[in-house]
Amino acid sequence: MEKKAGKNFKKIPHELDRLEQYFKERVGLGTSFDIGQRKLVILKTNVQLYYVNGLCESLYIIQLVKELVNLNEHERPSKNVFEIIRNRLIHESVEVVKTIDEMADQVLSGLLAIVVEGEECALIIDVRNYPGRQPEEPDTEKVVRGSRDGYVENIVLNTALTRRRIRDENLRFEIFKVGERSKTDIAIGYIDGVANPELVETIRKEISSIDIDGISMADKTVEEYLMKQGYNPYPLVRYTERADVGAIHLLEGHVLIFIDTSPSVMITPATFFHHVQHAEEYRQSSAVGTFVRWTRFLGIWASIFLLPLWFLFVLEPSLLPEKLAYIGPNKESDVPLIIQLLIADLGIEFLRIAAIHTPTPLSTAMGLIAAVLIGQIAVDVGLFHSEVILYVSIAAIGTFSTPSYELSVANKIFRMILLIAVALFKVPGFIVGCTVYMLYLISLRPLNAPYMWPFIPFNPIAFIQVLIRRPVPGSKLRPSIVHPRNRFRQPENKP
């Protein structure tokens, strides 16, 4: 990777020919078709505009050129053409930069630069119009009732969707550029006076210290730098594509990380129980929300422990009470049961991957092939016991009911490890495997936040709120895991 010291950070030259030569040699003017340039003569002074086609709004540029040309008719020739142009752009977002590298970075980010001959600075005007889709409901976080707008790949739209929901003067969005070549915009969002300043400063330092040529994979690359995740399969930040979910976490004292080109916003810090929540719980009454939450918890438990527990009962029938003695296959098979379970579990994973890569018109045909042909024929020829298909299917449904996709895949990895432990050591394998699993989760501390909070360390009030969806008027305290500066969500004594 090229070192940052390789940049020259030279001042913008007086002569526009030298600036043009720089853009030809370093930026690709004249080679890259999308690097645009306009040369004008305003009040007998040479003026140049630089921009990138496709990242700018063409109508803004046309209107801007018209205003500049009209200066020849309404203004007298002057030595200070730069200030005349700057004062004319009263309706635009204008910034002044003094180095070539700053100017080039801004142009490549989609802004327009105006340079005037004889001046050592440039006017940067925000005329960005990034290509992208309009806000729509994300596929991964659908609700029966609620807003249908979601985050998109445009960081400006994403911050606007958030600010629309929190019109607080203390809402802050700090922006950074990361990547020697990609220069990707990253913004951290928080509410000043609510979010923990130490958490904000930690995230700010970690993002500023990212040294890489580009982060084309956006959020995941930032997460790996921020959390030092290594080969840990469990998600250490929560992702959301819903603006209302992002807003409620800001109000709780969390810090959000927005990455340009990514529709997923990172919520920090996040615990295990943050990943099992869903917006649908808060779009229903408290009783219905609690019922939905418990059902989801049951599905998550089944996705982790159901298969290993059933396999353990098959290997050790004496552990079963007499009324449940029917559990387990009635006849033996030439294929070992552990092999059947692993093949069936991997088969579900094959179907998931195939569903992602299969075009929508062919997905129905793929489902029929998998369910009718492969599943039924595999049972008929004796490859699988029908009971294996049953329990693998229940575990798969529990995996799909997990709100966090990252958590569901991590749980599946542990389930397969636990199956192998049971096959090798039976009861001790199950007990030791579950113990090691819990100790591993307890050991995780993303951004110094205990991953299993409020279960360990135990916080009874917060744990009850995890189990039971409390009415909003009764939720007066912000979660202590984020160490908020203002603990109370609602004033205790109104004037």
Side-chain angles (χ1 to χ4, degrees), residues 125-141:
I125 305 170
D126 192 349
V127 293
R128 286 175 289 189
N129 183 28
Y130 291 157
R133 58 190 174 93
Q134 292 299 312
E136 58 187 20
E137 185 177 20
D139 291 333
T140 56
E141 297 177 273

Side-chain angles (χ1 to χ4, degrees), residues 193-213:
V194 174
N196 181 10
E198 295 181 2
L199 174 63
V200 176
E201 182 62 24
T202 298
I203 295 176
R204 186 186 292 127
K205 287 183 178 179
E206 290 292 339
I207 292 178
S208 300
S209 64
I210 296 176
D211 189 11
I212 192 173
D213 57 350

Side-chain angles (χ1 to χ4, degrees), residues 224-241:
E224 292 183 3
Y225 271 97
L226 186 63
M227 299 297 172
K228 313 296 189 293
Q229 189 172 13
Y231 288 97
N232 165 40
Y234 277 86
L236 301 181
V237 299
R238 181 183 177 185
Y239 290 101
T240 184
E241 295 184 31

Side-chain angles (χ1 to χ4, degrees), residues 301-316 319 338 341 345 391 395 411-423 426-427 429-431 434:
W301 180 90
S303 71
I304 303 174
F305 298 108
L306 180 63
L307 271 182
L309 195 59
W310 175 80
F311 184 43
L312 178 63
F313 288 148
V314 172
L315 297 179
E316 297 285 351
L319 297 175
I338 181 63
L341 290 171
D345 217 3
Y391 287 104
N411 287 341
K412 186 164 191 172
I413 293 174
F414 169 73
R415 180 175 75 218
M416 299 182 74
I417 295 175
L418 195 56
L419 276 172
I420 296 173
V422 171
K426 298 184 179 179
V427 175
F430 183 80
I431 295 175
C434 292

Side-chain angles (χ1 to χ4, degrees), residues 285-430:
S285 65
S286 298
V288 175
T290 301
F291 171 75
V292 171
R293 182 176 294 183
W294 284 17
T295 305
R296 183 176 295 111
F297 286 170
L298 180 61
I300 296 173
W301 180 90
S303 71
I304 303 174
F305 298 108
L306 180 63
L307 271 182
L309 195 59
W310 175 80
F311 184 43
L312 178 63
F313 288 148
V314 172
L315 297 179
E316 297 285 351
S318 60
L319 297 175
L320 284 170
E322 293 183 3
K323 293 184 178 180
L324 298 178
Y326 62 85
I327 292 180
N330 297 323
K331 59 180 180 179
E332 294 186 358
S333 173
D334 294 333
V335 182
L337 200 57
I338 181 63
I339 301 299
Q340 294 185 37
L341 290 171
L342 293 177
I343 292 176
D345 217 3
L346 286 174
I348 298 293
E349 191 68 11
F350 290 160
L351 293 177
R352 183 191 66 82
I353 295 174
I356 295 174
H357 301 307
T358 303
T360 303
L362 302 178
S363 59
T364 303
M366 186 203 69
L368 291 174
I369 292 173
V372 179
L373 297 182
I374 298 178
Q376 186 60 42
I377 292 176
V379 173
D380 292 341
V381 301
L383 178 61
F384 296 134
H385 287 295
S386 57
E387 205 167 342
V388 169
I389 299 296
L390 170 66
Y391 287 104
V392 168
S393 300
I394 295 174
I397 294 173
T399 299
F400 296 144
S401 68
T402 306
S404 170
Y405 169 73
E406 293 80 12
L407 180 64
S408 67
V409 176
N411 287 341
K412 186 164 191 172
I413 293 174
F414 169 73
R415 180 175 75 218
M416 299 182 74
I417 295 175
L418 195 56
L419 276 172
I420 296 173
V422 171
L424 295 176
F425 306 106
K426 298 184 179 179
V427 175
F430 183 80

Side-chain angles (χ1 to χ4, degrees), residues 120-194:
E120 291 185 340
C121 51
L123 294 172
I124 304 298
I125 305 170
D126 192 349
V127 293
R128 286 175 289 189
N129 183 28
Y130 291 157
R133 58 190 174 93
Q134 292 299 312
E136 58 187 20
E137 185 177 20
D139 291 333
T140 56
E141 297 177 273
K142 289 186 176 181
V143 294
V144 177
R145 299 189 185 278
S147 60
R148 305 298 176 187
D149 58 343
Y151 291 129
V152 293
E153 290 76 12
N154 189 325
I155 191 174
V156 177
L157 282 178
N158 291 345
T159 54
L161 287 172
T162 306
R163 193 173 287 278
R164 181 184 180 188
R165 287 168 168 80
I166 304 179
R167 304 175 184 180
D168 185 1
E169 64 274 12
N170 294 314
L171 179 59
R172 303 285 185 265
F173 291 112
E174 298 182 17
I175 196 163
F176 306 84
K177 282 189 182 296
V178 175
E180 183 71 14
R181 296 185 183 277
S182 67
K183 299 180 178 64
T184 305
D185 291 324
I186 298 179
I188 60 174
Y190 61 94
I191 299 180
D192 190 22
V194 174

Side-chain angles (χ1 to χ4, degrees), residues 38-43 47 49 61-75 85 88:
R38 287 295 304 271
K39 297 181 179 180
L40 305 173
V41 178
I42 307 299
L43 301 177
V47 175
L49 282 66
I61 298 177
I62 294 172
Q63 183 63 33
L64 181 61
V65 172
K66 288 182 178 179
E67 289 191 18
L68 293 179
V69 173
N70 286 339
L71 291 176
N72 292 325
E73 300 179 2
H74 299 90
E75 297 284 345
I85 294 177
R88 173 58 67 95

